[in-house]
Amino acid sequence: MAEWTTLAEAVKAHVHDGQTIAMEGFTHLIPFAAGHEIIRQRRRNLSLIRMTPDLIYDQLIGAGCAARMTFSWGGNPGVGSLHRFRDAVENGWPAPLAIEERSHSDLANAYVAGAANLPFAVLRGYTGSDFARVNDRIRSITCPFTGEVLAATPAVRPDVAIIHAQKADFKGNVLLWGILGVQKEAVLAAKTAIVTVEERVPSLEAPPNACVLPSWVVTAVCEVPRGATPSYAHGYYDRDNLFYQAWDEVSRDRGRFAAWLDRYIYATSDFADYRKLQSDLRAQAVSS
Amino acid sequence: MSQACTSEETMTVAAARMLRDGAVCFVGIGLPSTAANLARLTHAPNAVLVYESGPIGAKPSVLPLSIGDGNLAETADTVVSTPEIFRYWLQGGRIDVGFLGAAQLDRFANINTTVVGPYHNPKVRLPGAGGAPEISSSAGEVLVIVKHSRRTLVEKLDFITSVGFLTGGGARERAGLLGKGPVAVITDLCILRPHPVTRELQVAAIHPGVARDTIVDATGWPIQFSDDCGETQAPTINELEVLRELLARTAAAHGVSGEAA
């Protein structure tokens, strides 16, 4: 059964140095609050998995939490580069980052394989491309029925999956809707799952076939309103596109990024405190 | 009937015209999404736009800034999970047209969106694959939209992310790829199409007012012009109005809310 805890308690109890962590959410419901808390608790040497690293992993990489990353598209959506990611890959700052690069289709299939307790994913992919040349875990398998040669890639089996969802009930059953990405698969592929939610409700009132994660596949559930901002939560708030644009400038320069980290993450006690600081400064900017 | 327009507008309109009404189109973010939505708002109202984040039949009123914007989900016929979109819909053979952008492209329309320079010591680390490798291999056919320059249309790719015709001729078929591959590359100078035998990209139509030398100078390999190379029909007033209204609505929608970092 999922245990209702604070996010700080969940990260302290379940996220440890050197683990493999998958924080999913495809543009939508990205668990930013949890990412901040991992930085705040100064976890190190993590192997990060995520289809689209987005700003959440740019922040973790820049803060020195990651040793390795598996991903399939590493840009700032609609804006350009992830500068902290690029600085780590191109210059080894703040530490070298080993990368394992896959395609979206591959990683999605690999999460499915993980959730299904299979050792590898099989897909029609990569033919003619250079991926297998640089990643020896992208291999091939011959179909025993037709003889067709297909791509075979290792399943994703994270130690911890972290997602954000719209609602959880008192028992810790979780409901999410809208663009679902690979969150359900990530939770089911992982040994431990932490879920942050917009709100804690008496009953989910979910229709049949809704995407519900039963309490007993979730380890910890935490109420963190706006916990996915600057991404969005369908039915709650929109994507903060200006933050994504502003991040391009903040993250471009090491010093400016370090100052952001000090002020917004290390000097704040939790995500609510971070959001209050952000809105206070915005109010000042408007009134000055 | 036409009016003054930018080369980027001509490119977007020319790309939009390639999408036939009713086609099921897997849409990349950025220029492909602009062109596909322009098509939907002009001559192809029944085009089915599919985004890799899961929306099928998306009809956004403004262009998405990211591949998973909420308005794609809200306006879609259905929204499926990411594994499902790739497994059942793309790999399952339900996609007529893949619409892609490119950081770099070679003469056989192979695409690089991974690195410039050596892979393990890159000069520039690009975002990577996304859905493109499987779109380029599994979609019935592929359209590519890209701005024309020597940095983009290059002699040799540092990395093949998504395949076009590989080394040309019958190489794509021999590799066992299912879809036909790229049928057109639309740039801000011209429309390129693969030669029927060699599969090398050739200029098939030149945008109004563009000189042949400009195309030659902006291409990283000795570009050929097809024998029947003509001129792209200029954008119509209606096409330009719809495009400009779409972009204006988009700017208004994405610029108003949000917090500074």
Side-chain angles (χ1 to χ4, degrees):
Chain A
M1 293 291 280
E3 188 184 359
W4 277 97
T5 69
T6 66
L7 178 55
E9 288 165 346
V11 169
K12 187 162 188 287
H14 303 296
V15 179
H16 306 297
D17 289 357
Q19 282 184 323
T20 299
I21 312 286
M23 306 177 75
E24 278 295 350
F26 202 104
T27 304
H28 176 217
L29 296 175
I30 299 175
F32 272 97
H36 287 188
E37 189 55 34
I38 289 171
I39 296 173
R40 213 175 268 120
Q41 295 194 22
R42 298 180 192 265
R43 290 294 178 275
R44 289 292 177 269
N45 210 22
L46 300 176
S47 288
L48 300 175
I49 306 175
R50 202 178 135 72
M51 293 181 67
T52 59
D54 205 280
L55 273 47
I56 186 174
Y57 280 5
D58 210 38
Q59 294 169 359
L60 282 157
I61 291 165
C65 302
R68 181 180 176 80
M69 182 168 79
T70 300
F71 72 105
S72 46
W73 191 85
N76 178 343
V79 178
S81 290
L82 293 177
H83 298 293
R84 295 297 94 228
F85 161 58
R86 279 186 58 177
D87 203 13
V89 172
E90 294 171 12
N91 309 307
W93 193 94
L97 181 74
I99 57 169
E100 179 178 342
E101 187 160 9
R102 319 262 289 258
S103 71
H104 274 357
S105 180
D106 174 7
L107 267 188
N109 275 279
Y111 273 112
V112 170
N117 194 24
L118 288 169
F120 66 92
V122 58
L123 68 151
R124 209 175 261 122
Y126 291 126
T127 308
S129 76
D130 282 334
F131 286 91
R133 184 168 61 77
V134 298
N135 182 351
D136 66 5
R137 280 153 55 89
I138 296 172
R139 300 183 189 177
S140 62
I141 189 168
T142 303
C143 170
F145 304 102
T146 64
E148 183 177 0
V149 177
L150 298 156
T153 63
V156 169
R157 301 304 297 263
D159 293 312
V160 186
I162 305 178
I163 66 164
H164 186 77
Q166 280 99 340
K167 290 180 184 179
D169 66 17
F170 292 170
K171 290 179 181 164
N173 298 299
V174 172
L175 171 66
L176 58 159
W177 68 86
I179 287 174
L180 295 172
V182 291
Q183 285 99 305
K184 179 177 179 177
E185 289 78 10
V187 165
L188 294 178
K191 299 182 185 79
T192 298
I194 299 172
V195 182
T196 56
V197 294
E198 286 300 318
E199 57 176 339
R200 184 173 189 258
V201 295
S203 164
L204 295 178
E205 288 165 13
N209 308 108
C211 187
V212 171
L213 297 167
S215 173
W216 50 273
V217 300
V218 176
T219 314
V221 59
C222 319
E223 188 175 35
V224 187
R226 295 188 78 97
T229 191
S231 78
Y232 72 103
H234 207 125
Y236 288 79
Y237 47 90
D238 290 336
R239 191 170 186 267
D240 186 351
N241 290 322
L242 290 185
F243 187 98
Y244 276 82
Q245 286 159 7
W247 186 254
D248 189 62
E249 284 302 311
V250 172
S251 62
R252 197 178 283 272
D253 177 74
R254 291 175 186 174
R256 194 155 168 208
F257 169 76
W260 178 87
L261 210 52
D262 282 339
R263 184 171 201 186
Y264 284 92
I265 307 296
Y266 295 133
T268 55
S269 56
D270 60 14
F271 201 67
D273 199 23
Y274 160 85
R275 281 185 44 228
K276 181 172 182 308
L277 173 66
Q278 203 179 44
S279 67
D280 286 352
L281 290 173
R282 192 184 45 173
Q284 275 175 23
V286 170
S287 62
S288 63
Chain B
M1 182 103 188
S2 67
Q3 67 183 84
C5 63
T6 67
S7 58
E8 184 160 338
E9 287 173 331
T10 304
M11 168 173 69
T12 306
V13 168
R17 287 176 187 157
M18 300 269 172
L19 193 62
R20 66 182 179 278
D21 195 23
V24 180
C25 180
F26 208 107
V27 187
I29 207 67
L31 294 172
S33 179
T34 309
N37 277 289
L38 177 61
R40 186 177 59 77
L41 296 170
T42 52
H43 68 278
N46 301 305
V48 179
L49 305 194
V50 177
Y51 287 79
E52 66 190 16
S53 55
I56 295 173
K59 296 165 275 290
S61 60
V62 301
L63 294 171
L65 193 62
S66 82
I67 198 80
D69 273 15
N71 67 343
L72 297 176
E74 279 159 8
T75 61
D77 297 328
T78 183
V79 183
V80 301
S81 72
T82 304
E84 184 177 325
I85 204 81
F86 284 107
R87 288 159 66 90
Y88 297 176
W89 300 86
L90 179 59
Q91 189 174 268
R94 303 283 173 177
I95 305 298
D96 298 322
V97 186
F99 215 143
L100 298 175
Q104 286 187 332
L105 183 99
D106 71 12
R107 69 177 72 197
F108 296 115
N110 303 299
I111 290 173
N112 174 19
T113 54
T114 302
V115 285
V116 177
Y119 183 80
H120 293 288
N121 184 24
K123 196 154 53 166
V124 182
R125 176 63 238 196
L126 298 165
E134 284 79 20
I135 296 170
S136 70
S137 54
S138 288
E141 59 185 45
V142 174
L143 299 170
V144 183
I145 181 166
V146 67
K147 284 197 185 173
H148 209 129
S149 83
R150 271 180 182 269
R151 286 180 57 206
T152 305
L153 279 72
V154 298
E155 173 70 35
K156 185 163 172 29
L157 299 181
D158 291 318
F159 191 95
I160 296 180
T161 312
S162 306
V163 294
F165 296 106
L166 294 168
T167 53
R172 183 183 168 95
E173 289 79 2
R174 281 196 301 276
L177 293 156
L178 297 181
K180 270 199 301 191
V183 292
V185 176
I186 303 96
T187 81
D188 50 346
L189 300 180
C190 62
I191 296 168
L192 305 162
R193 289 188 186 274
H195 183 276
V197 177
T198 68
R199 305 290 179 78
E200 179 171 323
L201 292 172
Q202 295 187 322
V203 181
I206 302 173
H207 296 339
V210 174
R212 286 192 174 212
D213 283 352
T214 305
I215 297 172
V216 171
D217 291 345
T219 308
W221 69 84
I223 186 83
Q224 307 291 311
F225 293 76
S226 70
D227 294 338
D228 56 353
C229 177
E231 184 175 280
T232 311
Q233 188 202 337
T236 66
I237 288 173
N238 180 55
E239 285 168 327
L240 286 174
E241 280 179 0
V242 174
L243 174 59
R244 288 168 185 174
E245 283 166 15
L246 175 63
L247 295 176
R249 278 200 305 279
T250 300
H254 290 323
V256 289
S257 66
E259 300 162 25

Coordinates of all heavy atoms in Angstrom, one line a residue, chain A residues 1-14 37 41 168-172 193-197 200 218-225:
Chain A
M1 N 0.8 -1.2 0.0 CA 0.0 0.0 0.0 C 0.9 1.3 0.0 O 1.9 1.3 0.7 CB -0.9 0.0 1.3 CG -1.9 -1.1 1.3 SD -3.2 -0.9 0.0 CE -4.3 0.4 0.8
A2 N 0.5 2.2 -0.8 CA 1.2 3.5 -0.8 C 1.1 4.2 0.6 O 0.0 4.2 1.2 CB 0.6 4.4 -1.9
E3 N 2.2 4.8 1.0 CA 2.1 5.6 2.2 C 2.1 7.1 1.8 O 2.9 7.5 1.0 CB 3.4 5.2 3.0 CG 3.4 5.8 4.4 CD 4.8 5.6 5.1 OE1 5.6 4.9 4.5 OE2 4.9 6.0 6.2
W4 N 1.2 7.8 2.5 CA 1.2 9.2 2.3 C 2.3 9.9 3.1 O 2.4 9.7 4.3 CB -0.2 9.8 2.7 CG -1.2 9.7 1.7 CD1 -2.2 8.8 1.6 CD2 -1.5 10.6 0.6 NE1 -3.0 9.0 0.5 CE2 -2.6 10.1 -0.1 CE3 -0.8 11.8 0.1 CZ2 -3.1 10.8 -1.3 CZ3 -1.3 12.4 -1.0 CH2 -2.4 11.9 -1.7
T5 N 3.2 10.6 2.4 CA 4.3 11.2 3.2 C 4.6 12.6 2.5 O 4.0 12.9 1.5 CB 5.6 10.4 3.1 OG1 6.1 10.5 1.7 CG2 5.5 9.0 3.5
T6 N 5.5 13.3 3.2 CA 5.9 14.6 2.5 C 6.9 14.1 1.4 O 7.5 13.0 1.5 CB 6.7 15.5 3.4 OG1 7.9 14.9 3.9 CG2 5.8 15.9 4.6
L7 N 7.1 15.0 0.4 CA 8.1 14.7 -0.7 C 9.5 14.5 -0.1 O 10.2 13.6 -0.5 CB 8.0 15.8 -1.7 CG 9.0 15.6 -2.9 CD1 8.8 14.2 -3.6 CD2 8.7 16.7 -3.9
A8 N 9.9 15.4 0.9 CA 11.2 15.3 1.5 C 11.4 13.9 2.1 O 12.5 13.3 2.0 CB 11.4 16.4 2.5
E9 N 10.4 13.5 2.8 CA 10.5 12.2 3.5 C 10.6 11.0 2.4 O 11.4 10.1 2.6 CB 9.3 11.9 4.4 CG 9.2 12.7 5.6 CD 7.9 12.7 6.3 OE1 6.9 12.3 5.7 OE2 7.8 13.2 7.5
A10 N 9.8 11.1 1.4 CA 9.8 10.1 0.3 C 11.2 10.0 -0.3 O 11.7 8.9 -0.5 CB 8.7 10.4 -0.7
V11 N 11.8 11.2 -0.7 CA 13.1 11.2 -1.3 C 14.2 10.6 -0.3 O 15.0 9.8 -0.7 CB 13.5 12.6 -1.8 CG1 14.9 12.7 -2.2 CG2 12.6 12.9 -3.0
K12 N 14.1 11.1 0.9 CA 15.0 10.6 1.9 C 15.0 9.1 2.1 O 16.0 8.4 2.2 CB 14.7 11.3 3.3 CG 15.7 11.1 4.4 CD 15.5 12.1 5.5 CE 16.6 12.1 6.5 NZ 16.5 10.9 7.4
A13 N 13.8 8.6 2.1 CA 13.6 7.1 2.4 C 13.9 6.3 1.2 O 14.4 5.1 1.3 CB 12.2 6.9 2.9
H14 N 13.6 6.8 0.0 CA 13.6 5.8 -1.2 C 14.6 6.2 -2.3 O 14.7 5.4 -3.2 CB 12.2 5.8 -1.8 CG 11.2 5.4 -0.8 ND1 11.2 4.1 -0.2 CD2 10.1 6.0 -0.2 CE1 10.1 4.0 0.6 NE2 9.5 5.2 0.6
E37 N 13.8 18.3 -5.1 CA 14.0 17.7 -3.8 C 15.3 16.8 -3.8 O 16.0 16.8 -2.9 CB 12.8 17.0 -3.3 CG 12.9 16.5 -1.9 CD 13.2 17.6 -0.9 OE1 12.7 18.8 -1.1 OE2 13.9 17.4 0.1
Q41 N 18.5 17.4 -1.6 CA 19.1 16.4 -0.7 C 20.4 15.9 -1.2 O 21.0 15.0 -0.7 CB 18.1 15.3 -0.5 CG 16.8 15.7 0.3 CD 16.0 14.6 0.8 OE1 16.5 13.4 1.0 NE2 14.7 14.9 1.0
A168 N -4.8 11.6 -6.1 CA -4.8 10.3 -5.4 C -5.8 10.3 -4.3 O -6.1 11.4 -3.7 CB -3.4 10.0 -4.8
D169 N -6.4 9.1 -4.0 CA -7.4 9.1 -2.9 C -6.7 8.8 -1.6 O -5.5 8.6 -1.5 CB -8.5 8.1 -3.3 CG -8.1 6.6 -3.3 OD1 -7.0 6.4 -2.8 OD2 -8.8 5.8 -3.9
F170 N -7.5 8.8 -0.5 CA -6.9 8.6 0.8 C -6.1 7.3 0.9 O -5.1 7.3 1.7 CB -8.0 8.6 1.9 CG -8.7 10.0 2.0 CD1 -9.8 10.1 2.8 CD2 -8.2 11.1 1.4 CE1 -10.4 11.4 2.9 CE2 -8.8 12.4 1.5 CZ -9.9 12.5 2.3
K171 N -6.5 6.3 0.2 CA -5.7 5.0 0.2 C -4.5 5.1 -0.6 O -3.6 4.2 -0.5 CB -6.6 3.9 -0.3 CG -7.8 3.6 0.6 CD -8.6 2.4 0.0 CE -9.8 2.1 0.9 NZ -10.7 1.3 0.2
G172 N -4.3 6.1 -1.5 CA -3.1 6.2 -2.3 C -3.3 5.6 -3.7 O -2.3 5.4 -4.4
A193 N 8.1 3.1 -6.4 CA 7.5 4.2 -7.1 C 7.1 5.3 -6.2 O 6.4 5.0 -5.2 CB 6.3 3.7 -7.9
I194 N 7.5 6.5 -6.5 CA 7.0 7.7 -5.8 C 6.1 8.5 -6.7 O 6.5 8.7 -7.9 CB 8.2 8.5 -5.3 CG1 9.2 7.8 -4.4 CG2 7.7 9.8 -4.7 CD1 10.5 8.5 -4.1
V195 N 5.0 8.8 -6.2 CA 4.0 9.6 -7.0 C 3.7 10.9 -6.3 O 3.3 10.9 -5.1 CB 2.7 8.9 -7.3 CG1 1.8 9.7 -8.2 CG2 3.0 7.5 -8.0
T196 N 3.9 12.1 -6.9 CA 3.4 13.3 -6.4 C 2.1 13.6 -7.1 O 1.9 13.3 -8.3 CB 4.4 14.5 -6.6 OG1 4.7 14.6 -8.0 CG2 5.7 14.2 -5.8
V197 N 1.2 14.3 -6.4 CA -0.1 14.5 -7.0 C -0.5 16.0 -6.7 O -0.1 16.6 -5.7 CB -1.2 13.6 -6.5 CG1 -1.0 12.2 -6.9 CG2 -1.4 13.7 -5.0
R200 N -5.2 15.5 -3.0 CA -5.6 14.3 -2.2 C -7.1 14.4 -2.1 O -7.6 15.4 -1.6 CB -4.9 14.3 -0.9 CG -5.1 13.2 0.0 CD -4.2 13.3 1.3 NE -4.1 12.1 2.1 CZ -4.8 12.0 3.2 NH1 -5.5 13.0 3.7 NH2 -4.7 10.8 3.9
V218 N 2.3 1.4 -5.7 CA 2.9 2.7 -5.4 C 3.5 2.6 -4.0 O 2.9 2.1 -3.1 CB 1.9 3.9 -5.5 CG1 2.6 5.2 -5.1 CG2 1.3 4.0 -6.9
T219 N 4.8 3.1 -3.9 CA 5.4 3.1 -2.6 C 5.1 4.3 -1.7 O 4.7 4.1 -0.5 CB 7.0 3.0 -2.8 OG1 7.3 2.1 -3.8 CG2 7.7 2.6 -1.5
A220 N 5.2 5.5 -2.3 CA 4.9 6.7 -1.5 C 4.1 7.6 -2.4 O 4.4 7.7 -3.6 CB 6.2 7.3 -1.0
V221 N 3.2 8.3 -1.8 CA 2.4 9.3 -2.5 C 2.4 10.6 -1.7 O 2.3 10.6 -0.5 CB 1.0 8.8 -2.8 CG1 0.2 8.4 -1.6 CG2 0.2 9.8 -3.7
C222 N 2.6 11.7 -2.4 CA 2.9 13.0 -1.8 C 2.0 14.1 -2.4 O 2.0 14.2 -3.7 CB 4.3 13.4 -1.9 SG 5.5 12.1 -1.7
E223 N 1.3 14.9 -1.6 CA 0.5 15.9 -2.2 C 1.5 17.2 -2.4 O 2.0 17.7 -1.5 CB -0.6 16.3 -1.3 CG -1.6 17.3 -1.9 CD -2.8 17.6 -1.0 OE1 -2.7 17.6 0.2 OE2 -3.9 17.8 -1.6
V224 N 1.6 17.5 -3.7 CA 2.5 18.7 -4.1 C 1.8 19.5 -5.1 O 1.9 19.2 -6.3 CB 3.9 18.2 -4.6 CG1 4.8 19.5 -4.8 CG2 4.5 17.2 -3.7
P225 N 0.9 20.5 -4.7 CA 0.2 21.2 -5.7 C 1.2 22.0 -6.6 O 2.2 22.4 -6.2 CB -0.6 22.3 -4.8 CG -0.7 21.6 -3.5 CD 0.6 20.8 -3.3

